[in-house]
Amino acid sequence: MLDWLIVGGGLHGLFAARAIRCAAPQATLAVLGDQAPLAAWQRRARACGMQYLRSSNAHHLGIRADALRHFAADHDFDAGHELGYYRRPSRDLFEAHAAQALDASDRIAGRADNLQRLARGWRVHTADGRFFDAARVVLALGPNAPYRPAWATRDCAHVYDEDFDATMPAGTRTAVVGGGITGAQLALRLQAAGQAVCWVTRERPRRADFDSDPCYAGPRCLVPFQRAAMARRTTLLAHARQPGTLPPDVFARVTAALAAGDITWRRDHIEARDAHGLRFVDGRHLAADRIVLATGFEHRPAPGSLLDRGIRDLDLRCDEDGHVFMNEALEAAPGLHLLGRPASLQLGPMAGNIKGARLAGKRLAAFAQRMDDAPLASNSLTASSTRNTA
C-alpha cells in the first residue's frame, strides 16, 4: 500500500507530489494520470493563444519562491520573457521551468474510474481494470467540463474541447463568445490567422491584473478568510473573484484591434444559435460560419464523473457553487484530499490557479511532515488487475 496516491497529472497534482516528496522523502508516493504531465494545461494554453501567464513570476511549480527567476537567468531567457510590474512569465519560460522542476518518477499511466473506501485507506480503480491502494488519496482532477450555455448547439465548438481545431480557411466568419481573457486571446489568435472574427460579450471589456483580488495571494486577506465562518466564505469568494476581466496587455491588444476594425465586437445577450449564425434577445442577428465558445468551465463536476460520484457516494458537503467542505489539511473525508477549485473554501479564490497549487502543496507538505512518525506503507507500488488474476 502506498502512503500517497495523487490522482491527476496536471499543475496541482504534480506540484503536490513534489511538495510531499520534499517534506517526507521516506513516504511512498505515485501519481496516476491518463495523459503526459501537464498535457491538458498545455493543450488549453495553445488553443486560446496564451503568450504570457496571468500569474506573477512568483507563481510557478518550483519549491522556492524565486525558482523561476533563477531558472530564467541560468537558461538565458531574456527580459522579453517577463511582462509588466508583476513580471508575468511567458508561456515558453513557464513550461521550460515546469519540465525541469517536476519529477515524473513513480508516475502511473491510467485513468481513475472509481474510488473505494477501505477499512484503512482507499482503493482507486482504473478504467482498464487495475486498482491501487493508498493510505491517502489526493484528487487533483483539474477543471470541470467546459461550460456550454443553454442556447449552444452541438456544432458550437469550445476552445477547451479536447479535439478543438482553430484552423479554418481565411475569411471564415467566426464568432468568439466569451468576454474574459480566453475569449480575447482566442479572438486575437483567430484574427491573426486570417479569420473574420466577431467577439461577442455580455459586458464591456474590463481590465484587471488578476482574475481575483491579489490580496488573497498572501495572509492579509487569506487569514481573515480562513477565520470567517464557513457559511460566509462562499460570499467572500464571489466578491473576491473577478471573472470576465483582462490583464493590461491583453486589454491593450484587443481594444487596439477593435479600434482598427481588425476584430468586430457585439455586446449583447444571445438567444439562440440558428443555421446562419447567432440571434440576440433584442432581435438582431449575427451572420457566422462558425461559433467558438470561450465560456470557461462548469462550477460543478460532470454527472457521473469521478468527483461527482465521490461527492454523492461519500455524502460530501458542498456549497451552492460546488466548493467542497473540508478541513485545513484539505481532507473532505478521512484520508481523501481535494485540490483545485473544490478546495476554495479553504484556499480562497485562487484555489484553482497556480497560486492555489502552491497553497495546497504547502498544506499537504506540512501535513506529511506531521505524519513522519506514522508507520510507513510498503515501498512497492501495489497494483492488481480485476480482469486477469493469473
Side-chain angles (χ1 to χ4, degrees), residues 84-103:
Y85 175 80
Y86 293 100
R87 300 176 67 179
R88 291 164 39 214
S90 70
R91 181 161 61 91
D92 289 343
L93 170 57
F94 177 83
E95 291 183 353
H97 175 249
Q100 184 199 64
L102 295 175
D103 181 3

Side-chain angles (χ1 to χ4, degrees), residues 240-265:
R241 287 178 172 142
Q242 301 174 142
T245 57
L246 313 177
D249 63 309
V250 177
F251 182 89
R253 290 172 58 211
V254 77
T255 52
L258 295 175
D262 297 331
I263 296 173
T264 59
W265 175 49

Side-chain angles (χ1 to χ4, degrees), residues 48 51 176 178-192 197-201 203-208 244-266:
C48 69
Q51 296 179 359
V176 173
I181 183 175
T182 299
Q185 290 178 141
L186 180 63
L188 290 164
R189 179 192 177 192
L190 299 185
Q191 184 275 328
V197 175
C198 181
W199 185 32
V200 182
T201 72
E203 305 293 341
R204 291 183 176 276
R206 295 180 295 139
R207 186 171 65 180
T245 57
L246 313 177
D249 63 309
V250 177
F251 182 89
R253 290 172 58 211
V254 77
T255 52
L258 295 175
D262 297 331
I263 296 173
T264 59
W265 175 49
R266 182 67 60 84

Side-chain angles (χ1 to χ4, degrees), residues 251-307:
F251 182 89
R253 290 172 58 211
V254 77
T255 52
L258 295 175
D262 297 331
I263 296 173
T264 59
W265 175 49
R266 182 67 60 84
R267 180 190 177 191
D268 210 335
H269 290 258
I270 299 169
E271 182 177 68
R273 160 78 158 126
D274 61 30
H276 304 289
L278 294 173
R279 187 171 69 250
F280 298 96
V281 294
D282 64 0
R284 293 186 299 165
H285 187 270
L286 173 67
D289 303 313
R290 190 188 195 198
I291 312 298
V292 182
L293 306 174
T295 47
F297 300 97
E298 295 278 1
H299 288 176
R300 292 183 172 274
S305 65
L306 178 64
L307 182 56

